[in-house]
Amino acid sequence: MESLVVQGGLRLEGTLRVDGAKNATLPILAASAMTEDTVHLLDVPDILDVRRMADILDMLGCETRRCGRAMTVSGRSMRSSEMPDQLSKQIRSSIFLLGPILSRFRQATVTYPGGCEIGLRPIDLHLSGLRSLGVEVREEGGVVHCDGTHMHAGEVHLDYPSVGATENVIMAAVCLPGTTTIHNAAREPEIVDLCRFICAMGGKVQGAGSPTVVVDGVKRLHGVTYTLMPDRICAGTMLAAGAITGGSIELTNAPVAEMHAICAKLREMGCTLHEETDVLRLESPRRLLAFPILQTQPHPGFPTDMQAQMLALLCVAEGTGVIVENVFENRFTHAGDLNRMGARIICSGRTAIVRGVEGLIGTHVIARDLRGGAALVLAGLKAQGETVIEHAELIDRGYDHFEKQLCSLGAQVRRTTDAT
């Protein structure tokens, strides 16, 4: 087990480049399996979930290779339509391969995916969307068997704008003859990036980023060189790190246009932000101000993946604020650890009420999910003394060498390994 050890009380300042987006990289890696040609991806983050997705692709017969910030994927030798059981259970995003495998082989066998325990996150929407395309689905013993022998283009209506379901249906429909229309589609920027990638491979997708996505089927996709969009959640996390320490930081390669909801809340807390095309500069006050309420929503609302980090900021802000989690039902597991550090948080169902305190105290805490773990690191940056965050591997799922990035801005964060 690895831990991050944070020495609190230091003001962050400096410049940091934002990495490629986790939530764009994973479905794009999956979509790379839809062509036999070689795909070259640039600005690929070195995170645990990307490594695991590459391992799954290799097990399916693809050939993946990383060189620095670039990765190549060749699907020429892909032969298997059955997802590797143990690897799939380690990563929620393994479900993104369902659509591409069906597209290639018209058959797919997948296990229920793993990932962070932040809620039920059922795959029912994925399966109902694929059923609308003529896929026959049979579930038994935690395994889902999909028969796409009679797949066809068609009308798909999602009961909820699920990101994963939207992406899976798009990928399954790309090479189906005719036109597929997806209603109530998710609008997240990462879906737009996936559709740009598919179009660069020769696909025809329109309406990405809107509630209605139209896919006109093509016969085949070809290889491409593609640069991934920057990570708006990593950018938001680093802005939050600057804010909680009263710091002054600059982000380059920032997805400014996709971060309005995050920036609006930071301004509400008293921060000053200067925006350019791909540069964000933050100046934080000595003490943050509590916002009255924050509610997570599907895009363009406030992203659920930034809720935990904002909760950490609210803990040390002046005043009382409320956070309502509308996306996942179990995303306040980090609140207990923040309270152990001296925060005053009362949770009831999907709502957290926070009365800000002037300071936190460092102690041993446990990361229970990716974003909650990042929130505990942020709290440690503000806390007096030393904070040890166990299970750093959960944080590694979505942040590229998080401790090194923070140290480049003046933090003192080191990684330790428990030999036992």
Side-chain angles (χ1 to χ4, degrees), residues 59-91:
M59 289 287 289
L60 291 171
C62 296
E63 296 179 7
T64 65
R65 186 172 301 172
R66 175 185 278 276
C67 181
R69 310 296 298 178
M71 180 176 285
T72 60
V73 181
S74 173
R76 188 177 305 278
S77 300
M78 184 178 177
R79 296 290 179 266
S80 178
S81 62
E82 185 170 342
M83 294 277 287
D85 182 71
Q86 291 303 314
L87 280 174
S88 299
K89 289 178 178 178
Q90 294 177 13
I91 173 176

Side-chain angles (χ1 to χ4, degrees), residues 1-6 48 115-118 308 330-338 340-341 363-380 387-399 402 415:
M1 179 183 71
E2 293 189 332
S3 300
L4 293 181
V5 181
V6 183
L48 187 56
C116 291
E117 297 180 3
I118 57 176
N330 189 30
R331 208 158 195 181
F332 288 127
T333 56
H334 49 286
D337 286 288
L338 290 170
R340 292 186 63 230
M341 298 177 70
T363 186
H364 275 70
V365 293
I366 300 173
R368 292 172 172 82
D369 62 73
L370 165 56
R371 307 304 177 184
L376 294 176
V377 174
L378 298 185
T387 301
V388 179
I389 301 100
E390 297 180 3
H391 291 300
E393 67 276 4
L394 289 173
I395 301 171
D396 294 339
R397 288 190 49 235
Y399 294 93
F402 196 29
R415 185 178 293 260

Side-chain angles (χ1 to χ4, degrees), residues 250-316:
E250 178 184 79
L251 300 180
T252 61
N253 192 43
V256 177
E258 318 299 347
M259 295 184 64
H260 294 315
I262 298 170
C263 291
K265 278 300 169 188
L266 290 170
R267 288 190 174 102
E268 201 172 338
M269 300 189 83
C271 296
T272 301
L273 284 100
H274 301 280
E275 302 176 7
E276 297 179 14
T277 303
D278 61 352
V279 177
L280 270 173
R281 297 183 184 89
L282 174 138
E283 296 282 347
S284 180
R286 186 189 65 82
R287 188 177 183 190
L288 298 169
L289 303 174
F291 46 76
I293 190 167
L294 180 157
Q295 296 200 53
T296 63
Q297 300 285 352
H299 192 79
F302 193 90
T304 181
D305 279 355
M306 274 298 300
Q307 176 260 103
Q309 300 90 311
M310 297 305 290
L311 180 64
L313 267 60
L314 195 55
C315 288
V316 295

Side-chain angles (χ1 to χ4, degrees), residues 338-419:
L338 290 170
N339 282 339
R340 292 186 63 230
M341 298 177 70
R344 296 179 181 178
I345 307 170
I346 299 175
C347 294
S348 178
R350 293 174 179 257
T351 301
I353 302 171
V354 186
R355 181 180 176 185
V357 298
E358 289 194 10
L360 300 172
I361 304 298
T363 186
H364 275 70
V365 293
I366 300 173
R368 292 172 172 82
D369 62 73
L370 165 56
R371 307 304 177 184
L376 294 176
V377 174
L378 298 185
L381 294 172
K382 180 66 173 179
Q384 179 182 347
E386 188 175 86
T387 301
V388 179
I389 301 100
E390 297 180 3
H391 291 300
E393 67 276 4
L394 289 173
I395 301 171
D396 294 339
R397 288 190 49 235
Y399 294 93
D400 189 336
H401 299 88
F402 196 29
E403 69 276 18
K404 292 183 180 179
Q405 293 188 355
L406 291 169
C407 288
S408 73
L409 297 173
Q412 290 187 11
V413 187
R414 58 187 172 86
R415 185 178 293 260
T416 64
T417 302
D418 186 349

Side-chain angles (χ1 to χ4, degrees), residues 69-226:
R69 310 296 298 178
M71 180 176 285
T72 60
V73 181
S74 173
R76 188 177 305 278
S77 300
M78 184 178 177
R79 296 290 179 266
S80 178
S81 62
E82 185 170 342
M83 294 277 287
D85 182 71
Q86 291 303 314
L87 280 174
S88 299
K89 289 178 178 178
Q90 294 177 13
I91 173 176
R92 169 72 186 177
S93 300
S94 62
I95 195 64
F96 291 138
L97 279 160
L98 181 54
I101 291 175
L102 280 168
S103 180
R104 281 287 296 269
F105 301 111
R106 296 296 190 265
Q107 302 285 333
T109 300
V110 300
T111 57
Y112 278 89
C116 291
E117 297 180 3
I118 57 176
L120 296 175
R121 302 201 292 182
I123 63 171
D124 297 3
L125 292 170
H126 300 246
L127 301 181
S128 64
L130 293 173
R131 285 190 178 101
S132 297
L133 299 181
V135 178
E136 295 183 9
V137 180
R138 178 169 52 89
E139 302 176 60
E140 57 182 11
V143 177
V144 181
H145 302 276
C146 296
D147 184 350
T149 303
H150 304 293
M151 284 177 68
H152 56 76
E155 300 281 325
V156 178
H157 186 281
L158 298 177
D159 290 336
Y160 179 86
S162 160
V163 174
T166 300
E167 292 174 330
N168 250 330
V169 173
I170 289 171
M171 291 186 283
V174 166
C175 292
L176 293 178
T179 299
T180 296
T181 304
I182 305 168
H183 303 280
N184 197 30
R187 301 163 60 186
E188 271 67 9
E190 294 78 13
I191 295 175
V192 177
D193 208 35
L194 170 65
C195 292
R196 286 197 199 104
F197 171 72
I198 290 172
C199 290
M201 288 199 297
K204 295 181 179 180
V205 185
Q206 296 180 342
S210 78
T212 304
V213 176
V214 179
V215 183
D216 291 313
V218 298
K219 289 185 177 180
R220 67 179 298 272
L221 300 175
H222 55 72
V224 70
T225 297
Y226 190 82

